[in-house]
Structures are given as C-alpha cells and as structure tokens.
Amino acid sequence: MRGVVFDGKQTEVVDDLEIRDPAPGEVLVAVAAAGLCHSDLSVIDGTIPFPLPVVLGHEGAGVVEAVGAGVSHVAPGDHVSLSTLASCGACAQCDRGRPTMCRKAIGMPGKPFSRGGKPLYQFASNSAFAERTLVKAVQAVKIPADLPLTSAALIGCGVLTGVGAVLNRAKVDRGESVVVIGTGGIGLNVIQGARIAGALTIVAVDSNPAKEAVARQFGATHFLTSAEGVKEILPHGADHAFECVGRTELIRTAIDLLDRHGQAILLGLPAATAEASFLVSSMYLDKSILGCRYGSSRPQRDIPLYAELYREGRLLLDELVTETYPVEDFAKAADDAHHGRVARGVLVF
C-alpha cells in the first residue's frame, strides 16, 4: 500500500508498505483523507525529534475496515475521524477528564508498519499518510456518514487544537477580547472558536495581508499585519492572546498584549530547546501564561460536538480545505504548506 515515509534523509511516497492486522483494542482504518499539518513538516526539519524511519501524518479520517477483539463502539463501514490521543482511559489523568495529560498517550511509538520486512514507526500514534493505519479504539471517533471525509480529516488535529484551546483551555467567555497571532490552520480555528464562544472583539495578526479575507470569514473582527496596532483597538489590552506561530519573540508579544487578568495561550511549536523571556513584573496583575496540548481536548466528546456544529453551519470545515492533492503529490503539498499558500492542504487516497 502507499504511504509517506521519512527516513531521516529524504521523504518518499512509497507503494510497498505493509500493516499488521488489528490486535485486541485496535481499529484498522482505510484512510480517505489526511491534512498536512506543520507538525509533519517539523519532523522532517528536525524541530520535532522522532525515531526513524517513520510513516508520517496525524490528521485523518476514513472508513473502518476491521476491529480487534473488545472494540464495540465502531464497526466495519463506519466513518471515523482519527485523533492522535492514544490515552489509556485508566490512569488518574484520564479519570479526571484530562486525556491529553495521559502519560501513555505520549509513550513510545509503535511499529505497526513494515517495508521489505523491516518495521517502521508510527507518527503520533496515527500515521494518516498511509492508505491504511492502525489506531487504538479510543482514537477512532465515529462521525456522521454525510460529513465529507476531506473536511472531517481536519477535525482530528487543527480543529481539536484551535477550537479546543479556546473552549477548553482558555475558556473564552461572551463579550471578551481575543488576539490571534498567526492565521494558519491552527489560528483560523482559534478565530472561529472565539466566534463560537461569543468573543466580542477578535483581532487577527498575520504578516501576510492576503490572509485578511479568510480570517474575517472565520470570525475576525479586525485584521492587522503587525501587533503594533493592537493597542489602538484594545487600549487596555486583550483578555486572551493566542500565539499560533511558534516563535519566541511572538510569545513575548502575546504576553505584552494582555490586559489585567489576561491569558497568553501558547499553541505554536518552537524548537524543543527554545527559551522565551518576559517581564516578570508584568505578571503580577493576575496575568497567566498557559501551555496547551492538543486543545486540552477530549476527542470522544469533542469530535462529535464539532461535527454537529459543522452540520449546523456554525463551524467551518470545508473552507479550511484550500486544496486537495493525491498522495503522490506530497512534495508539492509540503511546499505549499511551508510557504503559507494554503490554510490546509489535504492528501487524498
């Protein structure tokens, strides 16, 4: 079968991948579509260290082909959106409703794939850039069959992360003000999450002026190409500032834009060794800096919710899909994503 493999030196679309049968508690999924996220590119450029060789991809949707023993919530033929959260369901964090904090969810990656008799690692417990993938039962979330799979694919990472950061982590309330730095796939979902939450002022900041139209489409009330103009719109600062780029200087910017009792939420992914600085004295006005893993999401709850919001016209998914690519055109899709030409490019099988 086809898939995208990175061996540490090159990324290659291969056609000779093999995958084992599902074990107890696992689901075999025929992947129909997979979004290309910057996290995939970050493995290739080394920003995210990962064992190699690896089958890439982590934002996908497809149709269940087979289930292992003990799996009852999905069956062959069901449409599913895939999460990366391989949580155990039995630890204290899972029991407290915090599956993103489950230590087993970010444990050692498995090797369900092989090529030429040699095992390959699975990225983010998912590897959606393959015609078929194996996930833990908790990662396969049933969705309505009328939801386009090219759109449903984006729920599993970009939507869970961006919308979830607003609703679950920051808990943006009606009438509050939000600044979103960076309007890529994650930033656009933060913007629409803020709109859904009822934020009154949503300021999108992106150095690319061509992104204004789509930012406003998703719910931005203002658009700036520099954060310097934010204080003209919000003289006292913002209630919430989301950094969606992953640059340490922009983390400092997000903190500096806060009003009293404001929150800076960090979603962008700088290098693992990167350090950021800020004025400690500025924090004594009850300001907070919040890390956020995967939108503090609970996928089995959140994915059906977002699917229903989509069906009601309140959550935009189709509009996120700028372009679709056959998996063989991975190099073009990656180049378009790297240069910011797309909100989200989607690989299709």
Side-chain angles (χ1 to χ4, degrees):
M1 66 178 185
R2 293 170 295 168
V4 180
V5 176
F6 176 59
D7 65 4
K9 295 181 180 179
Q10 65 176 353
T11 306
E12 185 181 4
V13 180
V14 303
D15 60 5
D16 56 352
L17 279 181
E18 296 182 354
I19 192 166
R20 61 172 173 79
D21 293 331
E26 292 182 336
V27 179
L28 178 67
V29 177
V31 178
L36 177 54
C37 173
H38 279 280
S39 293
D40 301 301
L41 302 180
S42 294
V43 174
I44 296 171
D45 68 21
T47 301
I48 297 179
F50 205 85
L52 304 168
V54 59
V55 180
L56 294 173
H58 67 284
E59 185 182 69
V63 180
V64 175
E65 277 201 355
V67 299
V71 177
S72 59
H73 74 292
V74 293
D78 285 344
H79 288 208
V80 292
S81 178
L82 303 177
S83 90
T84 69
L85 204 57
S87 50
C88 71
C91 68
Q93 294 293 349
C94 286
D95 193 49
R96 296 172 72 181
R98 298 175 180 172
T100 57
M101 295 296 103
C102 174
R103 286 175 170 80
K104 291 187 178 180
I106 52 175
M108 291 300 295
K111 300 178 182 178
F113 300 97
S114 62
R115 186 183 181 210
K118 297 181 180 180
L120 290 84
Y121 285 99
Q122 183 175 38
F123 179 53
S125 302
N126 189 305
S127 289
F129 292 170
E131 284 188 82
R132 292 173 181 81
T133 192
L134 271 175
V135 296
K136 291 179 66 173
V138 71
Q139 295 175 258
V141 184
K142 187 175 179 179
I143 57 174
D146 60 357
L147 188 62
L149 289 172
T150 49
S151 298
L154 305 186
I155 300 178
C157 179
V159 176
L160 281 177
T161 298
V163 177
V166 174
L167 302 182
N168 301 329
R169 187 66 168 128
K171 299 186 186 299
V172 173
D173 203 356
R174 292 165 296 179
E176 292 188 324
S177 57
V178 172
V179 174
V180 182
I181 301 174
T183 61
I186 299 299
L188 289 175
N189 279 298
V190 172
I191 290 170
Q192 70 171 336
R195 170 178 51 78
I196 291 168
L200 185 62
T201 304
I202 305 171
V203 183
V205 180
D206 197 296
S207 59
N208 184 354
K211 293 187 175 183
E212 179 173 1
V214 69
R216 290 188 180 275
Q217 180 184 19
F218 275 72
T221 60
H222 300 75
F223 182 90
L224 300 170
T225 55
S226 169
E228 293 179 2
V230 171
K231 287 297 178 72
E232 295 180 14
I233 301 167
L234 299 169
H236 297 297
D239 296 311
H240 309 274
F242 293 82
E243 200 284 333
C244 305
V245 180
R247 288 169 46 188
T248 54
E249 67 271 24
L250 295 179
I251 292 173
R252 170 63 181 267
T253 297
I255 295 167
D256 290 345
L257 289 175
L258 296 177
D259 194 1
R260 299 183 178 199
H261 208 274
Q263 299 180 139
I265 300 90
L266 311 186
L267 295 177
L269 189 66
T273 56
E275 297 182 1
S277 63
F278 59 91
L279 289 174
V280 176
S281 60
S282 70
M283 303 304 295
Y284 293 106
L285 291 172
D286 285 3
K287 298 180 183 180
S288 303
I289 303 172
L290 304 180
C292 184
R293 171 174 162 76
Y294 203 42
S296 300
S297 59
R298 297 165 67 177
Q300 289 287 345
R301 175 199 66 176
D302 292 347
I303 289 176
L305 168 63
Y306 298 154
E308 190 57 36
L309 289 173
Y310 165 81
R311 297 173 86 187
E312 293 178 359
R314 298 169 62 190
L315 182 80
L316 305 183
L317 290 179
D318 303 338
E319 295 81 358
L320 284 168
V321 182
T322 310
E323 189 167 348
T324 59
Y325 309 80
V327 68
E328 290 79 9
D329 287 347
F330 171 80
K332 182 179 187 305
D335 188 66
D336 287 347
H338 177 71
H339 289 95
R341 302 186 190 109
V342 292
R344 213 43 144 214
V346 176
L347 301 179
V348 294
F349 291 91

